[in-house]
Amino acid sequence: MSTTGATGDPLAALGSLPGVADSVESVRKAVDRVYRHRVMRRRSNEITSEAALRGARGSAALSGADWALEEVRRRSDFGVDDQAQVMGAALRLTAEAGQLLSIWRQSPLRVLARLHLVAAATQGDEVGRPRLAGESVDEPLVELELPGADEVSARLEGLSELIIAGGSAPAPVTAAVVHGELLALRPFASYNGLIARAAERIVLVGSGLDPKSVCPAEVGHAELGRTAYLAALDGYVSGTAEGMAAWIAHCARAVELGARESTAVCEALQRGAA
């Protein structure tokens, strides 16, 4: 979705696409169910921590490190091989996202740069900034045509302007667009998928839809599977009304599944079998 030169409130306009309103309402109901659970009144910090862990595991799975949850709990060394580095990056991003909520609405590009710095955990020249012309991107699971550096810069600026301006778009719509735009652009040299999903989390939490961060969309994306994820992304990149609506619906369903996951955690804690 090119946001350059957009007028009015294009994100809100996406909310009127066929089926999107129903998806948004379904998300709200799923989120409400978690927040009304009696365990949330007493042990919400535990649910938040568990959602963070499961969200990081789900995001890493989509980026090629599909580990069992207990393996993620057990491991402490995340620098041994490529999969371990992906998992470590996902865990760091999930932890960092909650620290950046106050900055996001004022300076989203600064937040994205920080997320890449945290994910990469190195000091190379390409870290913490959008890629320059001629620089390659390590994102093997997304095989879409790579936009040039000038287009990346213009579209990031347009996206930033929309976020700063705010608007009336429902949170699931804004989160889906931020997620889709970052995946389509792949603005950094590495870890773009992880960063796109972390940014989606920031929007969902910062909007007030999920203030305690207990509905990890990353869990839902992983459950829906990589094939469906990439097919929905193709719809986003197409820019058609049908494609955009399908991507938003896909992302909304992922939030629902994340909410369902945390509801199950609440119920396990209530039974004393977390």
Side-chain angles (χ1 to χ4, degrees):
M1 175 187 175
S2 176
T3 57
T4 308
T7 59
D9 190 351
L11 295 181
L14 292 175
S16 65
L17 291 174
V20 170
D22 289 341
S23 293
V24 169
E25 182 60 22
S26 187
V27 167
R28 287 175 175 157
K29 289 179 179 177
V31 174
D32 284 347
R33 279 194 292 273
V34 179
Y35 278 83
R36 287 198 305 265
H37 200 287
R38 65 178 61 187
V39 170
M40 282 292 293
R41 294 196 293 269
R42 307 187 309 273
R43 304 174 72 174
S44 64
N45 289 342
E46 292 176 66
I47 306 303
T48 295
S49 295
E50 187 66 17
L53 184 70
R54 294 180 184 221
R57 194 216 73 82
S59 190
L62 286 170
S63 287
D66 192 357
W67 291 10
L69 185 61
E70 292 310 313
E71 176 74 0
V72 182
R73 293 189 203 279
R74 183 185 66 80
R75 288 285 289 269
S76 59
D77 182 359
F78 295 101
V80 176
D81 53 36
D82 289 346
Q83 286 198 12
Q85 290 172 13
V86 168
M87 185 61 71
L91 290 165
R92 291 192 298 273
L93 284 173
T94 300
E96 186 73 11
Q99 310 302 313
L100 299 172
L101 296 171
S102 62
I103 305 172
W104 175 256
R105 286 296 297 272
Q106 286 74 43
S107 184
L109 297 186
R110 179 182 165 194
V111 168
L112 293 174
R114 173 63 183 171
L115 290 176
H116 187 239
L117 185 67
V118 168
T122 65
Q123 299 297 321
D125 291 342
E126 77 285 358
V127 174
R129 60 156 176 80
R131 56 187 167 82
L132 304 177
E135 290 184 335
S136 60
V137 173
D138 181 14
E139 197 67 45
L141 300 177
V142 179
E143 298 179 350
L144 298 169
E145 182 178 353
L146 193 67
D150 289 344
E151 181 180 352
V152 168
S153 178
R155 287 173 62 174
L156 281 179
E157 188 61 38
L159 184 65
S160 175
E161 290 172 0
L162 287 177
I163 293 166
I164 293 169
S168 59
V173 172
T174 302
V177 169
V178 168
H179 184 171
E181 193 73 351
L182 292 174
L183 272 184
L185 294 177
R186 283 146 291 159
F188 299 104
S190 57
Y191 297 115
N192 289 286
L194 297 180
I195 290 168
R197 293 183 287 276
E200 180 183 40
R201 173 185 286 266
I202 288 171
V203 174
L204 293 169
V205 174
S207 68
L209 175 68
D210 179 21
K212 295 183 182 294
S213 193
V214 296
C215 303
E218 305 97 322
V219 168
H221 286 302
E223 184 173 336
L224 291 167
R226 192 179 305 157
T227 299
Y229 184 68
L230 295 177
L233 179 62
D234 284 342
Y236 178 87
V237 172
S238 76
T240 65
E242 295 81 1
M244 294 295 293
W247 170 252
I248 294 168
H250 184 89
C251 291
R253 179 59 179 157
V255 180
E256 283 187 66
L257 292 172
R260 186 181 71 179
E261 182 90 353
S262 286
T263 300
V265 171
C266 287
E267 292 173 354
L269 286 172
Q270 185 169 280
R271 294 191 304 269

